[in-house]
PDB file of all heavy atoms in Angstrom:
ATOM      1  N   SER X  55     -43.389 -34.641 180.921  1.00  0.00           N
ATOM      2  CA  SER X  55     -44.634 -34.376 180.194  1.00  0.00           C
ATOM      3  C   SER X  55     -44.799 -32.902 179.912  1.00  0.00           C
ATOM      4  O   SER X  55     -45.159 -32.457 178.798  1.00  0.00           O
ATOM      5  CB  SER X  55     -45.838 -34.803 181.062  1.00  0.00           C
ATOM      6  OG  SER X  55     -47.077 -34.531 180.431  1.00  0.00           O
ATOM      7  N   GLN X  56     -44.498 -32.063 180.888  1.00  0.00           N
ATOM      8  CA  GLN X  56     -44.568 -30.573 180.664  1.00  0.00           C
ATOM      9  C   GLN X  56     -43.517 -30.106 179.631  1.00  0.00           C
ATOM     10  O   GLN X  56     -43.827 -29.234 178.826  1.00  0.00           O
ATOM     11  CB  GLN X  56     -44.381 -29.806 181.994  1.00  0.00           C
ATOM     12  CG  GLN X  56     -44.732 -28.351 181.944  1.00  0.00           C
ATOM     13  CD  GLN X  56     -44.789 -27.750 183.308  1.00  0.00           C
ATOM     14  OE1 GLN X  56     -44.567 -28.394 184.291  1.00  0.00           O
ATOM     15  NE2 GLN X  56     -45.032 -26.380 183.312  1.00  0.00           N
ATOM     16  N   ILE X  57     -42.341 -30.640 179.730  1.00  0.00           N
ATOM     17  CA  ILE X  57     -41.315 -30.266 178.723  1.00  0.00           C
ATOM     18  C   ILE X  57     -41.749 -30.637 177.310  1.00  0.00           C
ATOM     19  O   ILE X  57     -41.552 -29.872 176.397  1.00  0.00           O
ATOM     20  CB  ILE X  57     -39.996 -30.935 179.111  1.00  0.00           C
ATOM     21  CG1 ILE X  57     -39.396 -30.373 180.394  1.00  0.00           C
ATOM     22  CG2 ILE X  57     -38.969 -30.779 177.939  1.00  0.00           C
ATOM     23  CD1 ILE X  57     -38.251 -31.119 180.994  1.00  0.00           C
ATOM     24  N   ALA X  58     -42.274 -31.835 177.126  1.00  0.00           N
ATOM     25  CA  ALA X  58     -42.757 -32.267 175.832  1.00  0.00           C
ATOM     26  C   ALA X  58     -43.890 -31.296 175.298  1.00  0.00           C
ATOM     27  O   ALA X  58     -43.913 -30.956 174.163  1.00  0.00           O
ATOM     28  CB  ALA X  58     -43.298 -33.693 175.874  1.00  0.00           C
ATOM     29  N   GLY X  59     -44.758 -30.901 176.250  1.00  0.00           N
ATOM     30  CA  GLY X  59     -45.777 -29.918 175.877  1.00  0.00           C
ATOM     31  C   GLY X  59     -45.210 -28.586 175.453  1.00  0.00           C
ATOM     32  O   GLY X  59     -45.681 -27.894 174.525  1.00  0.00           O
ATOM     33  N   LEU X  60     -44.235 -28.138 176.176  1.00  0.00           N
ATOM     34  CA  LEU X  60     -43.584 -26.823 175.861  1.00  0.00           C
ATOM     35  C   LEU X  60     -42.892 -26.876 174.507  1.00  0.00           C
ATOM     36  O   LEU X  60     -42.927 -25.947 173.715  1.00  0.00           O
ATOM     37  CB  LEU X  60     -42.558 -26.505 176.974  1.00  0.00           C
ATOM     38  CG  LEU X  60     -43.073 -26.118 178.342  1.00  0.00           C
ATOM     39  CD1 LEU X  60     -42.052 -26.079 179.404  1.00  0.00           C
ATOM     40  CD2 LEU X  60     -43.781 -24.725 178.256  1.00  0.00           C
ATOM     41  N   ASP X  61     -42.204 -28.023 174.242  1.00  0.00           N
ATOM     42  CA  ASP X  61     -41.514 -28.156 172.955  1.00  0.00           C
ATOM     43  C   ASP X  61     -42.501 -28.132 171.811  1.00  0.00           C
ATOM     44  O   ASP X  61     -42.226 -27.479 170.759  1.00  0.00           O
ATOM     45  CB  ASP X  61     -40.735 -29.485 172.941  1.00  0.00           C
ATOM     46  CG  ASP X  61     -39.537 -29.486 173.807  1.00  0.00           C
ATOM     47  OD1 ASP X  61     -39.079 -28.374 174.193  1.00  0.00           O
ATOM     48  OD2 ASP X  61     -38.966 -30.514 174.154  1.00  0.00           O
ATOM     49  N   GLN X  62     -43.662 -28.820 171.980  1.00  0.00           N
ATOM     50  CA  GLN X  62     -44.688 -28.799 170.892  1.00  0.00           C
ATOM     51  C   GLN X  62     -45.276 -27.422 170.739  1.00  0.00           C
ATOM     52  O   GLN X  62     -45.571 -26.942 169.667  1.00  0.00           O
ATOM     53  CB  GLN X  62     -45.705 -29.850 171.207  1.00  0.00           C
ATOM     54  CG  GLN X  62     -46.743 -29.955 170.032  1.00  0.00           C
ATOM     55  CD  GLN X  62     -46.145 -30.265 168.745  1.00  0.00           C
ATOM     56  OE1 GLN X  62     -45.450 -31.214 168.607  1.00  0.00           O
ATOM     57  NE2 GLN X  62     -46.439 -29.454 167.741  1.00  0.00           N
ATOM     58  N   ALA X  63     -45.513 -26.751 171.914  1.00  0.00           N
ATOM     59  CA  ALA X  63     -46.038 -25.354 171.854  1.00  0.00           C
ATOM     60  C   ALA X  63     -45.088 -24.442 171.116  1.00  0.00           C
ATOM     61  O   ALA X  63     -45.590 -23.550 170.387  1.00  0.00           O
ATOM     62  CB  ALA X  63     -46.269 -24.894 173.221  1.00  0.00           C
ATOM     63  N   MET X  64     -43.769 -24.626 171.294  1.00  0.00           N
ATOM     64  CA  MET X  64     -42.807 -23.834 170.488  1.00  0.00           C
ATOM     65  C   MET X  64     -42.953 -24.061 169.053  1.00  0.00           C
ATOM     66  O   MET X  64     -42.904 -23.108 168.204  1.00  0.00           O
ATOM     67  CB  MET X  64     -41.385 -24.135 170.942  1.00  0.00           C
ATOM     68  CG  MET X  64     -41.039 -23.378 172.316  1.00  0.00           C
ATOM     69  SD  MET X  64     -39.270 -23.528 172.625  1.00  0.00           S
ATOM     70  CE  MET X  64     -39.095 -25.222 173.162  1.00  0.00           C
ATOM     71  N   ARG X  65     -43.099 -25.318 168.654  1.00  0.00           N
ATOM     72  CA  ARG X  65     -43.258 -25.649 167.217  1.00  0.00           C
ATOM     73  C   ARG X  65     -44.607 -25.061 166.722  1.00  0.00           C
ATOM     74  O   ARG X  65     -44.659 -24.629 165.552  1.00  0.00           O
ATOM     75  CB  ARG X  65     -43.264 -27.185 166.996  1.00  0.00           C
ATOM     76  CG  ARG X  65     -41.869 -27.785 167.235  1.00  0.00           C
ATOM     77  CD  ARG X  65     -41.774 -29.250 166.772  1.00  0.00           C
ATOM     78  NE  ARG X  65     -42.549 -30.125 167.622  1.00  0.00           N
ATOM     79  CZ  ARG X  65     -42.084 -30.764 168.756  1.00  0.00           C
ATOM     80  NH1 ARG X  65     -40.798 -30.481 169.074  1.00  0.00           N
ATOM     81  NH2 ARG X  65     -42.790 -31.529 169.463  1.00  0.00           N
ATOM     82  N   ASN X  66     -45.672 -25.089 167.573  1.00  0.00           N
ATOM     83  CA  ASN X  66     -46.898 -24.467 167.162  1.00  0.00           C
ATOM     84  C   ASN X  66     -46.733 -22.994 166.885  1.00  0.00           C
ATOM     85  O   ASN X  66     -47.243 -22.427 165.996  1.00  0.00           O
ATOM     86  CB  ASN X  66     -47.929 -24.696 168.263  1.00  0.00           C
ATOM     87  CG  ASN X  66     -48.404 -26.135 168.389  1.00  0.00           C
ATOM     88  OD1 ASN X  66     -48.048 -26.966 167.548  1.00  0.00           O
ATOM     89  ND2 ASN X  66     -49.281 -26.354 169.363  1.00  0.00           N
ATOM     90  N   ALA X  67     -45.954 -22.329 167.813  1.00  0.00           N
ATOM     91  CA  ALA X  67     -45.708 -20.910 167.644  1.00  0.00           C
ATOM     92  C   ALA X  67     -44.937 -20.599 166.351  1.00  0.00           C
ATOM     93  O   ALA X  67     -45.233 -19.663 165.568  1.00  0.00           O
ATOM     94  CB  ALA X  67     -44.929 -20.352 168.851  1.00  0.00           C
ATOM     95  N   GLU X  68     -43.998 -21.474 166.065  1.00  0.00           N
ATOM     96  CA  GLU X  68     -43.228 -21.322 164.791  1.00  0.00           C
ATOM     97  C   GLU X  68     -44.121 -21.508 163.581  1.00  0.00           C
ATOM     98  O   GLU X  68     -44.029 -20.743 162.548  1.00  0.00           O
ATOM     99  CB  GLU X  68     -42.107 -22.359 164.738  1.00  0.00           C
ATOM    100  CG  GLU X  68     -40.979 -22.062 165.748  1.00  0.00           C
ATOM    101  CD  GLU X  68     -40.000 -23.190 165.910  1.00  0.00           C
ATOM    102  OE1 GLU X  68     -40.237 -24.256 165.246  1.00  0.00           O
ATOM    103  OE2 GLU X  68     -39.041 -23.053 166.675  1.00  0.00           O
ATOM    104  N   ASP X  69     -45.007 -22.512 163.602  1.00  0.00           N
ATOM    105  CA  ASP X  69     -45.968 -22.660 162.555  1.00  0.00           C
ATOM    106  C   ASP X  69     -46.930 -21.467 162.397  1.00  0.00           C
ATOM    107  O   ASP X  69     -47.269 -21.071 161.331  1.00  0.00           O
ATOM    108  CB  ASP X  69     -46.814 -23.953 162.767  1.00  0.00           C
ATOM    109  CG  ASP X  69     -45.976 -25.203 162.613  1.00  0.00           C
ATOM    110  OD1 ASP X  69     -44.930 -25.136 161.976  1.00  0.00           O
ATOM    111  OD2 ASP X  69     -46.403 -26.291 163.111  1.00  0.00           O
ATOM    112  N   GLY X  70     -47.293 -20.885 163.564  1.00  0.00           N
ATOM    113  CA  GLY X  70     -48.146 -19.725 163.562  1.00  0.00           C
ATOM    114  C   GLY X  70     -47.496 -18.559 162.902  1.00  0.00           C
ATOM    115  O   GLY X  70     -48.086 -17.846 162.104  1.00  0.00           O
ATOM    116  N   VAL X  71     -46.186 -18.359 163.220  1.00  0.00           N
ATOM    117  CA  VAL X  71     -45.403 -17.296 162.562  1.00  0.00           C
ATOM    118  C   VAL X  71     -45.375 -17.520 161.067  1.00  0.00           C
ATOM    119  O   VAL X  71     -45.552 -16.555 160.255  1.00  0.00           O
ATOM    120  CB  VAL X  71     -44.006 -17.202 163.162  1.00  0.00           C
ATOM    121  CG1 VAL X  71     -43.069 -16.282 162.296  1.00  0.00           C
ATOM    122  CG2 VAL X  71     -44.038 -16.773 164.592  1.00  0.00           C
ATOM    123  N   GLY X  72     -45.150 -18.727 160.630  1.00  0.00           N
ATOM    124  CA  GLY X  72     -45.193 -19.017 159.180  1.00  0.00           C
ATOM    125  C   GLY X  72     -46.470 -18.763 158.561  1.00  0.00           C
ATOM    126  O   GLY X  72     -46.538 -18.262 157.464  1.00  0.00           O
ATOM    127  N   MET X  73     -47.531 -19.041 159.255  1.00  0.00           N
ATOM    128  CA  MET X  73     -48.865 -18.812 158.702  1.00  0.00           C
ATOM    129  C   MET X  73     -49.186 -17.327 158.553  1.00  0.00           C
ATOM    130  O   MET X  73     -49.591 -16.886 157.446  1.00  0.00           O
ATOM    131  CB  MET X  73     -49.925 -19.456 159.642  1.00  0.00           C
ATOM    132  CG  MET X  73     -51.319 -19.369 159.129  1.00  0.00           C
ATOM    133  SD  MET X  73     -52.478 -20.355 160.202  1.00  0.00           S
ATOM    134  CE  MET X  73     -53.966 -20.110 159.285  1.00  0.00           C
ATOM    135  N   VAL X  74     -48.954 -16.508 159.576  1.00  0.00           N
ATOM    136  CA  VAL X  74     -49.184 -15.121 159.487  1.00  0.00           C
ATOM    137  C   VAL X  74     -48.272 -14.390 158.459  1.00  0.00           C
ATOM    138  O   VAL X  74     -48.595 -13.494 157.828  1.00  0.00           O
ATOM    139  CB  VAL X  74     -49.168 -14.408 160.885  1.00  0.00           C
ATOM    140  CG1 VAL X  74     -50.204 -14.981 161.807  1.00  0.00           C
ATOM    141  CG2 VAL X  74     -47.750 -14.490 161.498  1.00  0.00           C
ATOM    142  N   ASN X  75     -47.049 -14.912 158.408  1.00  0.00           N
ATOM    143  CA  ASN X  75     -46.098 -14.365 157.428  1.00  0.00           C
ATOM    144  C   ASN X  75     -46.618 -14.622 155.989  1.00  0.00           C
ATOM    145  O   ASN X  75     -46.446 -13.795 155.084  1.00  0.00           O
ATOM    146  CB  ASN X  75     -44.685 -15.002 157.607  1.00  0.00           C
ATOM    147  CG  ASN X  75     -43.899 -14.385 158.705  1.00  0.00           C
ATOM    148  OD1 ASN X  75     -44.286 -13.241 159.201  1.00  0.00           O
ATOM    149  ND2 ASN X  75     -42.887 -14.961 159.184  1.00  0.00           N
ATOM    150  N   THR X  76     -47.146 -15.816 155.766  1.00  0.00           N
ATOM    151  CA  THR X  76     -47.733 -16.151 154.431  1.00  0.00           C
ATOM    152  C   THR X  76     -48.884 -15.199 154.116  1.00  0.00           C
ATOM    153  O   THR X  76     -48.946 -14.679 152.958  1.00  0.00           O
ATOM    154  CB  THR X  76     -48.174 -17.626 154.485  1.00  0.00           C
ATOM    155  OG1 THR X  76     -47.098 -18.477 154.681  1.00  0.00           O
ATOM    156  CG2 THR X  76     -48.786 -17.965 153.104  1.00  0.00           C
ATOM    157  N   GLY X  77     -49.752 -14.964 155.063  1.00  0.00           N
ATOM    158  CA  GLY X  77     -50.899 -14.087 154.800  1.00  0.00           C
ATOM    159  C   GLY X  77     -50.386 -12.648 154.588  1.00  0.00           C
ATOM    160  O   GLY X  77     -50.896 -11.945 153.751  1.00  0.00           O
ATOM    161  N   GLU X  78     -49.491 -12.203 155.471  1.00  0.00           N
ATOM    162  CA  GLU X  78     -48.992 -10.850 155.317  1.00  0.00           C
ATOM    163  C   GLU X  78     -48.233 -10.622 154.015  1.00  0.00           C
ATOM    164  O   GLU X  78     -48.376  -9.579 153.379  1.00  0.00           O
ATOM    165  CB  GLU X  78     -48.118 -10.517 156.528  1.00  0.00           C
ATOM    166  CG  GLU X  78     -47.867  -9.045 156.778  1.00  0.00           C
ATOM    167  CD  GLU X  78     -46.820  -8.462 155.962  1.00  0.00           C
ATOM    168  OE1 GLU X  78     -45.849  -9.170 155.598  1.00  0.00           O
ATOM    169  OE2 GLU X  78     -46.864  -7.243 155.652  1.00  0.00           O
ATOM    170  N   GLY X  79     -47.508 -11.652 153.577  1.00  0.00           N
ATOM    171  CA  GLY X  79     -46.802 -11.492 152.305  1.00  0.00           C
ATOM    172  C   GLY X  79     -47.732 -11.398 151.143  1.00  0.00           C
ATOM    173  O   GLY X  79     -47.524 -10.654 150.172  1.00  0.00           O
ATOM    174  N   ALA X  80     -48.855 -12.147 151.175  1.00  0.00           N
ATOM    175  CA  ALA X  80     -49.864 -12.097 150.109  1.00  0.00           C
ATOM    176  C   ALA X  80     -50.536 -10.697 150.088  1.00  0.00           C
ATOM    177  O   ALA X  80     -50.690 -10.090 149.010  1.00  0.00           O
ATOM    178  CB  ALA X  80     -50.933 -13.134 150.322  1.00  0.00           C
ATOM    179  N   LEU X  81     -50.793 -10.142 151.284  1.00  0.00           N
ATOM    180  CA  LEU X  81     -51.438  -8.828 151.304  1.00  0.00           C
ATOM    181  C   LEU X  81     -50.467  -7.676 150.952  1.00  0.00           C
ATOM    182  O   LEU X  81     -50.890  -6.633 150.487  1.00  0.00           O
ATOM    183  CB  LEU X  81     -52.034  -8.624 152.714  1.00  0.00           C
ATOM    184  CG  LEU X  81     -53.151  -9.471 153.146  1.00  0.00           C
ATOM    185  CD1 LEU X  81     -53.676  -9.061 154.494  1.00  0.00           C
ATOM    186  CD2 LEU X  81     -54.275  -9.390 152.073  1.00  0.00           C
ATOM    187  N   GLN X  82     -49.190  -7.989 151.103  1.00  0.00           N
ATOM    188  CA  GLN X  82     -48.179  -6.957 150.656  1.00  0.00           C
ATOM    189  C   GLN X  82     -48.305  -6.757 149.117  1.00  0.00           C
ATOM    190  O   GLN X  82     -48.292  -5.633 148.617  1.00  0.00           O
ATOM    191  CB  GLN X  82     -46.804  -7.436 150.991  1.00  0.00           C
ATOM    192  CG  GLN X  82     -45.678  -6.473 150.672  1.00  0.00           C
ATOM    193  CD  GLN X  82     -44.318  -6.931 151.115  1.00  0.00           C
ATOM    194  OE1 GLN X  82     -44.149  -8.037 151.515  1.00  0.00           O
ATOM    195  NE2 GLN X  82     -43.322  -6.079 150.981  1.00  0.00           N
ATOM    196  N   GLU X  83     -48.526  -7.867 148.382  1.00  0.00           N
ATOM    197  CA  GLU X  83     -48.707  -7.707 146.951  1.00  0.00           C
ATOM    198  C   GLU X  83     -50.064  -7.150 146.629  1.00  0.00           C
ATOM    199  O   GLU X  83     -50.208  -6.345 145.656  1.00  0.00           O
ATOM    200  CB  GLU X  83     -48.609  -9.112 146.285  1.00  0.00           C
ATOM    201  CG  GLU X  83     -48.449  -9.057 144.774  1.00  0.00           C
ATOM    202  CD  GLU X  83     -47.306  -8.238 144.273  1.00  0.00           C
ATOM    203  OE1 GLU X  83     -46.263  -8.180 144.983  1.00  0.00           O
ATOM    204  OE2 GLU X  83     -47.499  -7.620 143.180  1.00  0.00           O
ATOM    205  N   VAL X  84     -51.105  -7.402 147.415  1.00  0.00           N
ATOM    206  CA  VAL X  84     -52.429  -6.792 147.217  1.00  0.00           C
ATOM    207  C   VAL X  84     -52.274  -5.305 147.380  1.00  0.00           C
ATOM    208  O   VAL X  84     -52.820  -4.535 146.593  1.00  0.00           O
ATOM    209  CB  VAL X  84     -53.433  -7.394 148.148  1.00  0.00           C
ATOM    210  CG1 VAL X  84     -54.720  -6.626 148.139  1.00  0.00           C
ATOM    211  CG2 VAL X  84     -53.692  -8.882 147.798  1.00  0.00           C
ATOM    212  N   HIS X  85     -51.584  -4.904 148.429  1.00  0.00           N
ATOM    213  CA  HIS X  85     -51.264  -3.476 148.656  1.00  0.00           C
ATOM    214  C   HIS X  85     -50.666  -2.817 147.420  1.00  0.00           C
ATOM    215  O   HIS X  85     -50.988  -1.747 146.964  1.00  0.00           O
ATOM    216  CB  HIS X  85     -50.381  -3.302 149.851  1.00  0.00           C
ATOM    217  CG  HIS X  85     -51.055  -2.667 150.989  1.00  0.00           C
ATOM    218  ND1 HIS X  85     -50.596  -2.716 152.293  1.00  0.00           N
ATOM    219  CD2 HIS X  85     -52.198  -1.934 151.065  1.00  0.00           C
ATOM    220  CE1 HIS X  85     -51.412  -2.028 153.131  1.00  0.00           C
ATOM    221  NE2 HIS X  85     -52.364  -1.522 152.428  1.00  0.00           N
ATOM    222  N   ALA X  86     -49.643  -3.505 146.859  1.00  0.00           N
ATOM    223  CA  ALA X  86     -48.944  -2.946 145.650  1.00  0.00           C
ATOM    224  C   ALA X  86     -49.954  -2.797 144.491  1.00  0.00           C
ATOM    225  O   ALA X  86     -49.887  -1.820 143.796  1.00  0.00           O
ATOM    226  CB  ALA X  86     -47.785  -3.855 145.290  1.00  0.00           C
ATOM    227  N   MET X  87     -50.814  -3.789 144.322  1.00  0.00           N
ATOM    228  CA  MET X  87     -51.787  -3.661 143.277  1.00  0.00           C
ATOM    229  C   MET X  87     -52.842  -2.530 143.455  1.00  0.00           C
ATOM    230  O   MET X  87     -53.258  -1.887 142.570  1.00  0.00           O
ATOM    231  CB  MET X  87     -52.445  -5.022 143.013  1.00  0.00           C
ATOM    232  CG  MET X  87     -51.513  -6.063 142.390  1.00  0.00           C
ATOM    233  SD  MET X  87     -52.375  -7.580 142.002  1.00  0.00           S
ATOM    234  CE  MET X  87     -52.567  -8.281 143.606  1.00  0.00           C
TER     235      MET X  87
END
């Protein structure tokens, strides 16, 4: 049960990285403008 939770938490962290990267990439272009 704990291993399954850890595996999902890792996927959550990966999704979080994708989310903040998306936001940061958008603001990179805002900075350029």
Side-chain angles (χ1 to χ4, degrees):
S55 177
Q56 190 169 359
I57 291 167
L60 289 167
D61 289 341
Q62 184 57 55
M64 280 191 286
R65 290 191 289 272
N66 288 356
E68 291 169 357
D69 290 341
V71 170
M73 184 173 183
V74 297
N75 281 343
T76 300
E78 199 276 330
L81 292 184
Q82 184 177 10
E83 190 58 33
V84 171
H85 247 160
M87 288 186 286

